Amino acid sequence: MIQIALSGAAGRMGRRIIALAMEDASTKNVAATEPAGSPMLGQDTGQLAGVSPTGIKITPRVETDFDVFIDFSTASATREWLDLCESKAKPIIIGTTGHSDADLAAIREAADRIGLYLMNSVNPFRLEGQKTIMYRVLEALRWEVPDWIVVPGGNLGNTSAFGKAWLELKQLGLVSRIPRLAVINAAGANTLHELYNNHGLRWNNGNWNCDTVCNHYDEMTKQGHKASTIATAIEIARPVNLSKALRALDAMNGVVCEVTDNEILEEKALVGRFGFGCEPASAASVAGLRQLLANGTIDREARVVCILTGHALKDPDATVKYHTGIESKGVAISAGHSTPTGRHANLPIRVPDEIDAICNAIEAAG
């Protein structure tokens, strides 16, 4: 068995992806799951035991049993995850421009070339798992349907899954009504907001206007536009689940809005003040709720569920800078480096952001 851990900006990859690869005589199959933020250790070993928004927890045995750990992100992001490789895995750090959409394209090409099976936001079975978030919401509310679900929007996997979940719950007669949906983009990664609010893109019974999307993407390419936000989990310019998200918005009578990085950080601190440490992307949902309350879209008496998609160990540099003013990411990148001398040091393999180099490194390390 070969086990590969992937992290960083591919697929989204700016959210973290844990990939388990099994090899037989003829092919390599990689099943990946994408927890929100750094995985939380389970108590039981030897099995997957569920905690992330997708209902999956990576246990200690699984976490430390990778053969390869691949990071498609910057050195600072690697700091959060390098400990996962300490016992066995060989780290491979791939230098990128930080352009998550390009990184996703690279890992998908690598997957096709060397036979990896990806299970991130491009995989429909992942979205089936994400539907269970809504089941847990209903369970927590004693099966009373809330008025609104508010969720951050990046690759739009959660958005798509939530819409599908509520449609099916209604069709099965398990709920009498469907809540409304609010999808919150970061202003620096606001493709859905632009298309939905400024270009009038709608599901239209499945006949959504592909030309509108293509023209918008072409314009972004001409302008050299790249998504940029403190909320790395939703730093996506070309969401892979756009059409499914349009269906969800249609089914749930949804709205879309955008919030700034400053608004995200303020609400992140507020969430933390009340005892829930969350990543910046999670706080986008709370920032969006504040905006929608202020403009009257959401009534102040409404029952609202904001989805927090990842905990405080995701993007810790943002937290450090907000509360101390210290640019810890810059400090880490500019700090001096020496060759490790420890007997058990596991020096990362650094490769360029080139598809041949990526595939060769994965195969050689595995």
Side-chain angles (χ1 to χ4, degrees), residues 170-187:
K170 181 71 162 54
Q171 290 167 358
L172 290 170
L174 295 175
V175 297
S176 60
R177 64 184 180 88
I178 294 175
R180 296 192 67 184
L181 176 68
V183 184
I184 316 301
N185 275 168

Side-chain angles (χ1 to χ4, degrees), residues 4-8 13 16-19 69-70 72 107 118 362:
I4 302 176
L6 303 174
S7 89
M13 302 260 353
R16 308 299 185 239
I17 295 179
I18 296 298
F69 175 86
I70 305 171
F72 279 79
I107 195 58
L118 294 180
I362 293 172

Side-chain angles (χ1 to χ4, degrees), residues 104-115 118 355-356 359:
L104 173 56
I107 195 58
R108 293 181 75 174
E109 184 175 348
D112 289 341
R113 183 177 297 193
I114 59 181
L118 294 180
I355 189 63
D356 289 338
C359 292

Side-chain angles (χ1 to χ4, degrees), residues 320-357:
V320 172
K321 183 177 181 181
Y322 178 89
H323 291 287
T324 70
I326 297 173
E327 187 71 68
S328 57
K329 181 181 294 187
V331 170
I333 293 173
S334 62
H337 297 273
S338 60
T339 302
T341 58
R343 286 185 301 160
H344 304 292
N346 193 9
L347 190 64
I349 299 170
R350 296 183 181 272
V351 298
D353 186 15
E354 299 171 358
I355 189 63
D356 289 338

Side-chain angles (χ1 to χ4, degrees), residues 34-277:
E34 186 180 25
S38 303
M40 299 171 66
L41 298 182
Q43 298 301 314
D44 301 322
T45 59
Q47 62 181 355
L48 294 178
V51 285
S52 76
T54 53
I56 295 177
K57 177 188 291 182
I58 308 300
T59 65
R61 184 193 68 80
V62 176
E63 284 191 317
T64 58
D65 201 29
F66 295 122
D67 291 301
V68 182
F69 175 86
I70 305 171
D71 189 87
F72 279 79
S73 189
T74 63
S76 58
T78 306
R79 299 200 315 276
E80 305 165 33
W81 277 73
L82 202 53
D83 61 320
L84 296 182
C85 313
E86 192 168 56
S87 71
K88 179 181 178 182
K90 170 54 65 178
I92 298 175
I93 299 176
I94 299 175
T96 73
T97 61
H99 183 192
S100 57
D101 296 293
D103 293 339
L104 173 56
I107 195 58
R108 293 181 75 174
E109 184 175 348
D112 289 341
R113 183 177 297 193
I114 59 181
L116 305 180
Y117 177 72
L118 294 180
M119 194 177 142
N120 55 4
S121 293
V122 302
N123 190 307
F125 294 106
R126 169 184 158 80
L127 271 60
E128 291 299 305
Q130 287 173 278
K131 291 191 306 184
T132 62
I133 302 170
M134 293 297 97
Y135 307 158
R136 296 296 297 273
V137 165
L138 269 175
E139 181 182 38
L141 296 178
R142 299 183 179 182
W143 287 83
E144 295 179 5
V145 178
D147 298 310
W148 284 85
I149 301 292
V150 186
V151 62
N155 252 333
L156 303 178
N158 281 325
T159 300
S160 305
F162 295 176
K164 191 170 189 288
W166 286 107
L167 278 172
E168 292 171 353
L169 287 166
K170 181 71 162 54
Q171 290 167 358
L172 290 170
L174 295 175
V175 297
S176 60
R177 64 184 180 88
I178 294 175
R180 296 192 67 184
L181 176 68
V183 184
I184 316 301
N185 275 168
N190 63 350
T191 296
L192 182 62
H193 166 74
E194 283 291 326
L195 289 171
Y196 197 81
N197 293 327
N198 297 335
H199 295 276
L201 185 67
R202 294 294 186 273
W203 172 241
N204 193 26
N205 294 318
N207 298 309
W208 54 281
N209 193 329
C210 184
D211 289 340
T212 298
V213 178
C214 291
N215 291 338
H216 184 68
Y217 287 179
D218 287 345
E219 187 62 28
M220 286 195 297
T221 300
K222 290 177 183 177
Q223 295 178 3
H225 174 77
K226 297 178 182 178
S228 178
T229 172
I230 195 72
T232 62
I234 55 174
E235 193 179 49
I236 306 294
R238 293 168 173 78
V240 297
N241 292 300
L242 176 61
S243 62
K244 296 175 184 178
L246 292 174
R247 179 174 182 259
L249 286 162
D250 181 76
M252 299 180 69
N253 189 21
V255 299
V256 181
C257 71
E258 61 175 350
V259 293
T260 66
D261 280 1
N262 283 339
E263 290 172 318
I264 287 172
L265 289 172
E266 292 297 335
E267 301 307 329
K268 179 183 183 303
L270 183 63
V271 169
R273 187 67 60 88
F274 282 89
F276 294 92

